[in-house]
């Protein structure tokens, strides 16, 4: 493969795609292989749709006009992205963690965007395909990029860090997410900690929740710059008077400055550390305090993450994008502190927990039983063995079954929490609430 040739082709249009149904004029199409598809099968369609070149790894297309053959199309995409990152002067902030990555990324982009031209990971493009696509989609003139990195196996964050080469970074937290892939909680810490290892080797700046003992232990000693946020008066960014009833509000200050009140559109105290991370990074980059507050107060969550919605008949906390034991526990604890006389839980099973799934779902039910709720709907096979046989608890095999039940038994005048893994698609219940 000629890296120089492919990069010149990319520079000519500035666009790449891996979807033959979404081809901007002149874009380069990378024919990736998946579990259920082979992108090579759509190379000709991509060219017909306006792509200037199709990068393929099927030998049958080796001499097809408009196709450029490589041994591995995914590797070629990653190499072009890595090269592009090295050729730009963009400063990159890398983010990973078990929970809160996307919210932290968006808050950080909102804060930095008050002063800089910022690009950031769109949606959930945070894996071995999404990170290269994010880097190659940076608009001209980008000064700072916030790159979200997700992983479910050891070695993935190291690989994504090698591609994106972040100059700064933070780990939001470590919790019981993707245990099946990482093997254990210790495996999760090793996998997420690969971002720290990259930054240490590069001499980059690290932002850290100084109150998080796991992160502090993972970081260990480092001679480079470390900026801490949390409740300790000695940290670079300090907070006090945090509450969420239901919207998060708090006060923060940097060393030797006055306190700054912030009212957000985020539900849950668990979002405090996400907001503080954005403040810490923004302050480090010289964003003025009033602009930091403006960005945080104007940010409105989307994508079913901690969204508070008032319908005609109910108040709903929609947090159905994903779920693991850590995030579900935090959501339940926050929900228990919210004021409401008729509280309803709609909870979907948690995925990718491997051998710990049985114990984690059992423990979650025990926590639910201690929560002051009127009704609890549990969805999915993982909850079935643990669903209590008592008034107020209902179990459904699927979201479709739950929807049928709610149609016949409407929920009215309730405070509702919807939380579950993406596979449950619990957001579909919203039309009935």
């Amino acid at each position: 493969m000629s890296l120089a040739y492919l990069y010149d082709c990319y520079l000519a249009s500035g666009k790449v795609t891996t979807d033959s149904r979404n081809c901007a004029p002149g874009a380069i199409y990378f024919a990736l292989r998946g579990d259920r598809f082979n992108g090579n099968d759509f190379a000709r369609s991509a060219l017909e749709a306006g792509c200037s070149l199709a990068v393929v790894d099927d030998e049958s297309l080796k001499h097809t006009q408009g196709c450029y053959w490589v041994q591995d199309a995914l590797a070629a995409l990653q190499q072009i992205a890595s090269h592009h990152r090295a050729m730009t002067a963009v400063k990159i902030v890398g983010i990973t963690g078990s929970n809160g990555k996307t919210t932290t990324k968006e808050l950080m982009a909102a804060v930095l965007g008050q002063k800089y031209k910022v690009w950031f990971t769109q949606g959930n493009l945070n894996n071995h395909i999404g990170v290269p696509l994010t880097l190659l989609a940076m608009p001209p003139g980008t000064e700072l990029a916030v790159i979200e990195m997700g992983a479910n196996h050891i070695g993935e964050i190291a690989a994504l860090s090698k591609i994106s080469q972040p100059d700064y970074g933070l780990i939001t937290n470590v919790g019981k997410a993707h245990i099946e892939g990482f093997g254990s909680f210790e495996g999760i810490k090793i996998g997420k900690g690969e971002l720290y290892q990259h930054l240490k080797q590069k001499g980059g700046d690290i932002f850290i929740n100084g109150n998080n003992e796991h992160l502090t232990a993972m970081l260990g000693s480092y001679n480079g710059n470390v900026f801490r946020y949390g409740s300790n008066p000695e940290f670079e960014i300090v907070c006090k008077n945090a509450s969420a009833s239901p919207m998060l509000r708090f006060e923060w200050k940097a060393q030797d400055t006055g306190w700054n009140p912030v009212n957000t559109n985020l539900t849950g105290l668990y979002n405090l550390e996400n907001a503080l991370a954005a403040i810490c990074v923004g302050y480090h980059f010289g964003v003025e305090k009033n602009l930091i507050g403006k960005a945080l107060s104007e940010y409105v969550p989307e994508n079913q993450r901690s969204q508070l919605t008032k319908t005609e008949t109910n108040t709903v906390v929609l947090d159905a994008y994903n779920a693991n034991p850590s995030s579900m526990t935090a959501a339940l604890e926050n929900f228990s502190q919210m004021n409401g006389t008729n509280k309803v839980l709609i909870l979907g099973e948690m995925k990718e927990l491997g051998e710990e799934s049985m114990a984690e779902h059992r423990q979650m039910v025990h926590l639910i039983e201690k929560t002051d709720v009127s009704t609890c709907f549990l969805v999915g096979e993982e909850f079935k063995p643990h669903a209590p046989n008592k008034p107020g608890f209902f179990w459904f095999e699927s979201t479709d079954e739950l929807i049928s039940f709610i149609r016949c038994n409407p929920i009215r005048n309730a405070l509702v929490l919807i939380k579950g893994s993406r596979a449950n698609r619990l957001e579909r219940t919203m039309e009935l609430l």
Side-chain angles (χ1 to χ4, degrees), residues 106-146:
E106 293 185 351
L107 288 171
M108 195 179 298
V111 168
L112 293 172
Q114 298 294 315
K115 183 174 182 178
Y116 300 94
K117 188 169 183 180
V118 176
W119 179 244
F120 59 99
T121 301
Q122 305 296 295
N124 63 343
L125 292 175
N126 63 8
N127 63 5
H128 60 295
I129 299 171
V131 168
L133 290 175
T134 299
L135 293 170
L136 292 169
M138 288 190 294
T142 298
E143 298 171 291
L144 284 168
V146 183

Side-chain angles (χ1 to χ4, degrees), residues 40-358:
N40 290 278
D41 296 338
F42 307 100
R44 291 184 177 87
S45 298
L47 292 169
E48 291 171 0
C51 285
S52 61
L53 188 71
V55 179
V56 299
D57 53 17
D58 186 329
E59 291 206 11
S60 68
L61 297 171
K62 212 167 188 178
H63 303 294
T64 300
Q65 186 175 359
C67 291
Y68 185 85
W69 183 84
V70 297
Q71 289 188 328
D72 187 326
L74 174 59
L77 174 67
Q78 293 171 339
Q79 289 171 32
I80 292 296
S82 180
H83 181 68
H84 180 58
R85 189 271 174 273
M87 297 298 290
T88 67
V90 177
K91 295 296 184 182
I92 288 182
V93 183
I95 297 179
T96 190
S98 298
N99 303 306
K101 293 187 296 296
T102 297
T103 300
T104 301
K105 168 204 70 181
E106 293 185 351
L107 288 171
M108 195 179 298
V111 168
L112 293 172
Q114 298 294 315
K115 183 174 182 178
Y116 300 94
K117 188 169 183 180
V118 176
W119 179 244
F120 59 99
T121 301
Q122 305 296 295
N124 63 343
L125 292 175
N126 63 8
N127 63 5
H128 60 295
I129 299 171
V131 168
L133 290 175
T134 299
L135 293 170
L136 292 169
M138 288 190 294
T142 298
E143 298 171 291
L144 284 168
V146 183
I147 304 297
E148 179 183 338
M149 296 184 286
N152 53 24
H153 290 84
I154 289 175
E156 287 182 292
I157 297 299
L160 296 177
S161 296
K162 186 176 181 181
I163 294 170
S164 59
Q165 289 292 315
D167 308 284
Y168 314 85
L170 68 87
I171 302 173
T172 56
N173 51 53
V174 284
K176 294 179 178 179
H178 305 296
I179 294 179
E180 187 173 22
F182 283 109
S184 66
F185 183 54
E186 289 304 311
I188 292 171
K189 291 194 287 187
I190 292 171
K192 300 298 183 182
E194 289 166 359
L195 177 57
Y196 284 162
Q197 299 309 311
H198 163 82
L199 291 166
K200 285 183 176 183
Q201 292 170 7
K202 188 170 184 175
D205 293 352
I206 294 175
F207 305 92
I208 183 172
N209 179 351
N211 293 126
N212 190 307
E213 296 179 355
H214 292 303
L215 297 180
T216 300
M218 288 162 57
L219 176 59
S221 60
Y222 179 43
N223 295 327
N225 293 324
V226 178
F227 303 95
R228 292 173 172 83
Y229 52 90
S231 59
N232 190 319
E234 296 182 0
F235 294 164
E236 280 73 17
I237 298 296
V238 189
C239 71
K240 71 174 184 179
N241 296 335
S243 64
S245 56
M247 298 306 185
L248 173 67
R249 59 179 59 192
F250 61 95
E251 295 178 64
W252 70 274
K253 77 179 189 74
Q255 289 292 333
D256 303 322
T257 66
W259 289 98
N260 306 277
V262 175
N263 297 323
T264 77
N265 294 299
L266 297 161
T267 62
L269 280 173
Y270 52 84
N271 273 308
L272 176 62
E273 59 186 300
N274 302 332
L276 290 176
I279 290 171
C280 193
V281 173
Y283 190 81
H284 175 70
F285 280 97
V287 180
E288 296 178 357
K289 289 179 286 184
N290 65 311
L291 295 179
I292 291 176
K294 178 177 182 289
L296 295 179
S297 64
E298 291 180 351
Y299 172 77
V300 178
E302 298 177 348
N303 299 324
Q304 302 147 34
R305 300 176 190 272
S306 302
Q307 288 178 250
L308 184 72
T309 303
K310 291 186 181 295
T311 68
E312 291 184 7
T313 54
N314 300 291
T315 299
V316 183
V317 179
L318 177 60
D319 195 3
Y321 185 81
N322 218 333
N324 56 58
S326 303
S327 67
M328 189 169 280
T329 298
L332 286 172
E333 290 175 347
N334 177 68
F335 190 64
S336 68
Q337 296 170 7
M338 296 177 68
N339 296 323
T341 55
N342 180 25
K343 290 187 175 182
V344 176
L345 290 176
I346 298 178
L347 302 180
E349 61 188 349
M350 300 172 287
K351 297 293 190 179
E352 297 184 57
L353 296 180
E355 295 179 356
E356 298 194 26
S357 182
M358 177 76 75

Side-chain angles (χ1 to χ4, degrees), residues 386-403:
H386 317 295
N389 184 19
K390 60 175 66 172
F393 281 87
F394 300 86
W395 174 82
F396 301 91
E397 183 176 357
S398 67
T399 302
D400 287 335
E401 288 188 4
L402 170 61
I403 287 174

